[in-house]
Amino acid sequence: MLNAVSLNWCVFAGILAGAGIVFYRQAVLHKGYKLLITVGFILIVVYQYYMYFLIHPNLNIESLYFPNFLKGIGHGVLYISLTIYIAKTVPFKHFFQGLCVLSFIRTSIATPLGTAILNRWLKYMEQENIGLLSQNMDQVKEWAPDVSLRQLYDAVSQQTLLTSLKELFGAVCIVGTIFLIFLLSQKFWRKLHSHVRRTPRALKRLKPLRHAKLRMSHHRTSLF
């Protein structure tokens, strides 16, 4: 618990850095917020991949500083960008209602619901993995005479926890990657759709010009 609390300082520093990035892009560069929302989701998914490849028995707390810093940047950029999105798209008379709904979903539904789902999933994986890792451990005194039963149980519990965490982060990485592909493809399909819609209009505009050119060429031929 003390290590988890100390890691929150890295998350807090990342949130401050994310706020600085949003301020620089919005107030100094006067750019849009859609790229920031995408970057926020990408950083959160990068944190999941980082943790997936980082988990091992000899992990120290210093190795967790940078991924938690990235997670803080992603959360800061994403939450502030979504708030700016509401401020620019929702009318003022509905602004506080939209902000309340966003905060309610983010803090009252998403956080406890996501935590409950992940914790339940982790417990299920631990039960499954401890059965798989210990299914061949019979007649302990014959093949491990120098290891006590307590030490053996601690080793199996550690491997079970690490394996379950790795599987859980892997599943979250897959879901996050699918969501990112969907998010990035939306922008591509919108551009493609707008291009397809502009093409018939451009063709309609070109038809009178073609007819005019044909008339001019016909007129010049007749004069010749």
Side-chain angles (χ1 to χ4, degrees), residues 8-24 68-77 80:
N8 287 333
W9 288 107
C10 300
V11 179
F12 179 70
I15 292 173
L16 293 179
I21 293 172
V22 177
F23 175 80
Y24 179 76
N68 280 275
F69 180 74
L70 289 179
K71 182 178 73 171
I73 295 177
H75 285 172
V77 170
I80 297 173

Side-chain angles (χ1 to χ4, degrees), residues 14-191:
I15 292 173
L16 293 179
I21 293 172
V22 177
F23 175 80
Y24 179 76
R25 182 173 176 81
Q26 292 286 326
V28 179
L29 299 179
H30 301 286
K31 300 292 185 178
Y33 51 86
K34 293 183 179 179
L35 179 61
L36 292 174
I37 295 176
T38 304
V39 169
F41 277 115
I42 289 175
L43 289 177
I44 294 174
V45 176
V46 168
Y47 162 77
Q48 303 294 337
Y49 275 100
Y50 204 115
M51 293 298 296
Y52 175 78
F53 291 104
L54 193 64
I55 295 174
H56 59 85
N58 297 323
L59 180 66
N60 53 7
I61 190 173
E62 288 79 10
S63 302
L64 300 174
Y65 289 161
F66 184 69
N68 280 275
F69 180 74
L70 289 179
K71 182 178 73 171
I73 295 177
H75 285 172
V77 170
L78 182 61
Y79 292 161
I80 297 173
S81 301
L82 290 176
T83 305
I84 295 174
Y85 172 76
I86 291 178
K88 290 185 176 180
T89 56
V90 178
F92 180 75
K93 63 178 181 179
H94 302 300
F95 171 72
F96 294 101
Q97 297 177 3
L99 188 63
C100 180
V101 170
L102 179 63
S103 301
F104 180 75
I105 293 175
R106 186 173 60 195
T107 59
S108 300
I109 296 179
T111 301
L113 182 62
T115 303
I117 292 175
L118 293 178
N119 287 334
R120 182 64 179 175
W121 200 354
L122 181 62
K123 293 296 182 183
Y124 175 78
M125 289 181 178
E126 286 180 349
Q127 294 176 359
E128 183 179 4
N129 289 325
I130 197 171
L132 293 175
L133 292 175
S134 61
Q135 62 181 352
N136 295 324
M137 289 185 179
D138 53 355
Q139 298 179 354
V140 177
K141 294 298 181 180
E142 294 185 2
W143 64 273
D146 298 330
V147 179
S148 64
L149 186 61
R150 181 63 184 178
Q151 293 175 347
L152 186 62
Y153 178 77
D154 292 339
V156 172
S157 300
Q158 183 186 33
Q159 293 298 324
T160 300
L161 180 60
L162 293 175
T163 304
S164 302
L165 284 175
K166 211 169 187 63
E167 290 182 0
L168 184 62
F169 274 107
V172 174
C173 288
I174 293 173
V175 175
T177 303
I178 294 174
F179 180 78
L180 276 181
I181 293 174
F182 174 77
L183 186 65
L184 296 175
S185 63
Q186 289 295 314
K187 187 176 181 180
F188 172 76
W189 286 113
R190 287 177 183 175
K191 289 184 178 180

